[in-house]
Amino acid sequence: NFGWFLRYTLTKSVGIAMLGMGVVGSGVARALSQKSDSLGNQIGANVCLKSVLVRDKTKQRSFEIAQNLFTDNFNEILERTDIDIVVEVMGGERPALEFILAALESGKHVVTANKEVMAKHAPDIFAAARRKDVRVLFEASVAGGTPVVSPLMRDLVANEVVSIKAIINGTTNYILTRMSSEQIDYKTVLKDAQNLGYAEPDPTNDVEGIDAAYKLAILSTLGFRAQVKDSDVFCEGITSLSAKDFQYADELGYAIKLLAISSRINGEVQARVHPALIEKDQMLAKVDGVLNAIEIETDLTGRVLFHGPGAGSMPTSSAIVADIINIGRNVAGNAAYLDPVRLSESIKVQSISDLQTKYYFRLEAKDEPGVLAQIGSALALNKISISSFIQKGFDPEQGTAELVIMTHQATERSVQSALKDIKDLDVVARIGNMIRVSE
Ligand code: NAP
Ligand code: HSE
């Protein structure tokens, strides 16, 4: 058997330490064990898992490894000279950041799945890696098993990126897909997503759009080659969406998705994550379940689409093990390598108030003469032009009707001002929702 032959003929070894062995770490350990022959073949050296940092050494894991590999002391890993690559899959900003920087400082290469750390600290991490002439790869930090980080760093490097439009949170896409097709309630679907290992340890990050904002910050930083931090990304989650929004959107020819969008406008960047109405015939509207998709528009290539699994143990391990192979080849060949990420000093980030797009409003108002005129006038005074005005159900107890309004292009600034004016009208009981339209 060739695998057997290979194992005994490879003389070099690449030592791996893993920080964390939860959903992702267990998938990585499984892949390293089950594919050891093929990895050896790809790298030209045996890959050897030497140590795994966890909080609780006694905990049952979904993939079993030798008990003596577990440690709860990071310094043990740092001091070992037989560890070439530190794979960080513990999550959270701290102590993960300190561990990554310490590993780089000690001359070890790093592979990480940590979007929060990369979104907030990429320049410091790149600088530490350069200083020590080691590599840091982070494919799994965006879109799980779907390659997009490496294509942006390498294959599209000749391009100027014009815009990125993406579905990059599997949990929310899974929730929105099921809410839309099964009229199922939000909390039940979230539980399913957690059981399937898609959700973050704290699902607030998923449903409030924070996880997608981290990922958009990483993609924008690579695409625009200047640091775009998570705090530069406008962020609104999916918790205000109701079954009615899905029903009305569907009737109007739209799907609702949590979109992450960044564009370069007159030398500045605008980056935002929010639920959006997207025409059903657009490609991103058809991306369902835990799948992710990233559409990148560039000057040379035009539009490219990356589509595939965005979360889960094994898809994510695919990205991490690919990074290990990539670095392992350098280690085995003793070749120095610098990643081609050169960031310029800074780029100006636009406020969400400057956004120009179309909008959907759902509101409840008294069903009596003159109501539409008052709402129409509040919109007109804010220079917002209506493209359609539909009256939906009537609530006899409250004496209110539900109104759905679609606008032509307007600025976010004027929309926020109009919504405030509409809310103050005596005839308006409640503003149900406002959703931006993706054009
Ligand atoms: P997880 O299941 O919660 O696992 C985290 C692991 O890290 C656990 O084994 C935990 O140890 C260990 N850990 C956490 N804090 C630690 C500390 N301070 N010291 C030592 N060990 C610590 O998380 P996950 O879903 O695998 O996610 C890991 C990373 O991958 C995160 O950055 C996440 O954003 C990213 N990611 C996840 C997915 C996904 O589909 N889940 C996809 C792409 C990227 P114990 O087990 O002993 O508690
Ligand atoms: N919680 C994340 C998601 C995991 O649902 O997309 C992958 O980063």
Side-chain angles (χ1 to χ4, degrees), residues 20-25 53-56 59 61 89-92 95 99 113-115 140 144 197-201 310-313 316:
M21 191 159 163
V23 173
V24 176
L53 179 79
V54 286
R55 281 179 294 218
D56 178 358
K59 197 168 164 182
R61 309 279 157 183
V89 282
M90 55 192 273
F99 289 177
N114 197 319
K115 60 215 88 166
Y198 302 154
E200 293 300 306
S313 182
T316 308

Side-chain angles (χ1 to χ4, degrees), residues 115 140-141 143-144 168-172 198-200 206 211 215 292 310-311:
K115 60 215 88 166
S141 65
I168 38 179
N169 183 267
T171 303
T172 45
Y198 302 154
E200 293 300 306
D206 292 301
D211 175 81
K215 293 167 180 170
N292 282 193

